[in-house]
Amino acid sequence: MRNIALLVSYDGTGYYGFQSQPGGNTVQDKIEEAIRMLSGEQVKLTGSGRTDAGVHALGQVANFLTASSIPAERWAIALNSRLPDDIVVHAAVEVATDFHARRCAVGKTYRYSINSFRFPDVFARHRVFHHPAPLDFAAMREGLKYLLGEHDFTSFTSPLSTKPHHVRTLYEASLQVDTASGDSEASGRGVARITVTGNGFLYNMVRIITGTILQVGEGKRKPEDIADILAAKSRAISGPTAVPYGLTMCSVAYGPEWGLNWKPPYN
């Protein structure tokens, strides 16, 4: 059996998430069906992580075992001809048989996009959350700093989490803002992108971080409140879970032993 790794982008708007579910209509289901159409095999695709319904991906990594002799470099084009337009395979390579897209990952990067202009962008409505009131970007940026490093993120995790512990390390927690011509960040108007990189993420973790940091931007909390929320280890005192469609899985990192140095195919 050969082990094939894929680099996948998808618009999650029309799907119930990445991982296969009894109701079907997931990204995994679509890719597995495309593989079946191509090779005649019923494979089990393993993703680097789950994404919820409506969440997007630029650089999702997945792998599957196959007995097919199709050269690795031909898989991407062949699968794309059998996939819907909102799922694209950018690369396919043969990897060691013990490679596992989720277990072998050493880091992931997610981005959450927020539009605080008065009116929404009709062309980005499925990818950017519209917040029509101005935001204090400086305060949001300051609040994110408290999340850096190793912490118990129980306060930023869904009670439905099944992980044995909630300790994770964030290497990056930053905010960048694109403003309109002639405006400054002080106006509170712009498209803000929260980027977080860590060694692992918990169920709804990025969306809860975003919902809480939004409250800082609204003036409902102070930046230093983030430290207290972390210390409390209680989901009850953090902010709401931000809507899913503003979230994108950007990239997944692996150690050099796997030979996967993939970068997101888009910005």
Side-chain angles (χ1 to χ4, degrees), residues 1-8 18 27-47 62-70 74-84 87 89 91-92:
M1 299 293 284
R2 302 160 64 215
N3 196 3
I4 304 296
L6 306 175
L7 178 65
V8 184
F18 176 84
V27 176
Q28 179 181 345
D29 294 328
K30 297 297 184 182
I31 298 176
E32 288 179 351
E33 174 62 14
I35 294 171
R36 188 194 64 77
M37 293 168 62
L38 178 61
S39 69
E41 300 171 296
Q42 190 68 50
V43 306
K44 175 67 180 296
L45 188 72
T46 298
N63 74 286
F64 63 95
L65 297 176
T66 176
S68 171
S69 61
I70 298 172
R74 295 186 183 178
W75 278 96
I77 292 176
L79 288 176
N80 286 334
S81 68
R82 294 162 172 82
L83 285 168
I87 302 174
V89 177

Side-chain angles (χ1 to χ4, degrees), residues 15-149:
Y15 299 103
Y16 300 142
F18 176 84
Q19 187 166 310
S20 185
Q21 299 180 27
N25 193 36
T26 68
V27 176
Q28 179 181 345
D29 294 328
K30 297 297 184 182
I31 298 176
E32 288 179 351
E33 174 62 14
I35 294 171
R36 188 194 64 77
M37 293 168 62
L38 178 61
S39 69
E41 300 171 296
Q42 190 68 50
V43 306
K44 175 67 180 296
L45 188 72
T46 298
S48 59
R50 298 181 62 175
T51 52
D52 293 335
V55 174
H56 317 292
L58 294 178
Q60 170 75 281
V61 177
N63 74 286
F64 63 95
L65 297 176
T66 176
S68 171
S69 61
I70 298 172
E73 64 272 15
R74 295 186 183 178
W75 278 96
I77 292 176
L79 288 176
N80 286 334
S81 68
R82 294 162 172 82
L83 285 168
D85 293 341
D86 48 10
I87 302 174
V88 175
V89 177
H90 292 275
V93 297
E94 187 168 348
V95 290
T97 55
D98 57 342
F99 173 79
H100 188 284
R102 177 174 53 81
R103 294 173 187 161
C104 296
V106 296
K108 296 176 184 175
T109 297
Y110 286 86
R111 182 177 67 212
Y112 198 99
S113 301
I114 305 159
N115 170 9
S116 66
F117 288 115
R118 193 178 309 275
F119 301 109
D121 179 348
V122 66
F123 298 107
R125 66 190 186 280
H126 297 309
R127 298 182 293 109
V128 181
F129 169 61
H130 182 228
H131 184 282
L135 292 168
D136 186 336
F137 298 128
M140 293 169 70
R141 194 174 284 121
E142 183 65 25
L144 286 168
K145 292 179 181 179
Y146 291 94
L147 299 171
L148 290 170

Side-chain angles (χ1 to χ4, degrees), residues 48-52 55 102 108 110 147 149-170 196-210 230 233 235 241 247 249:
S48 59
R50 298 181 62 175
T51 52
D52 293 335
V55 174
R102 177 174 53 81
K108 296 176 184 175
Y110 286 86
L147 299 171
E150 183 180 271
H151 302 285
D152 184 321
F153 283 93
T154 297
S155 295
F156 295 95
T157 304
S158 167
L160 299 177
S161 171
T162 58
K163 300 298 183 182
H165 68 84
H166 296 153
V167 176
R168 297 292 185 274
T169 301
L170 290 192
V196 289
T197 300
N199 64 353
F201 290 89
L202 301 158
Y203 185 37
N204 284 348
M205 179 173 162
V206 180
R207 291 168 57 194
I208 297 171
I209 286 174
T210 299
L230 275 170
K233 301 177 186 178
R235 174 67 184 94
T241 304
L247 181 62
M249 172 190 277

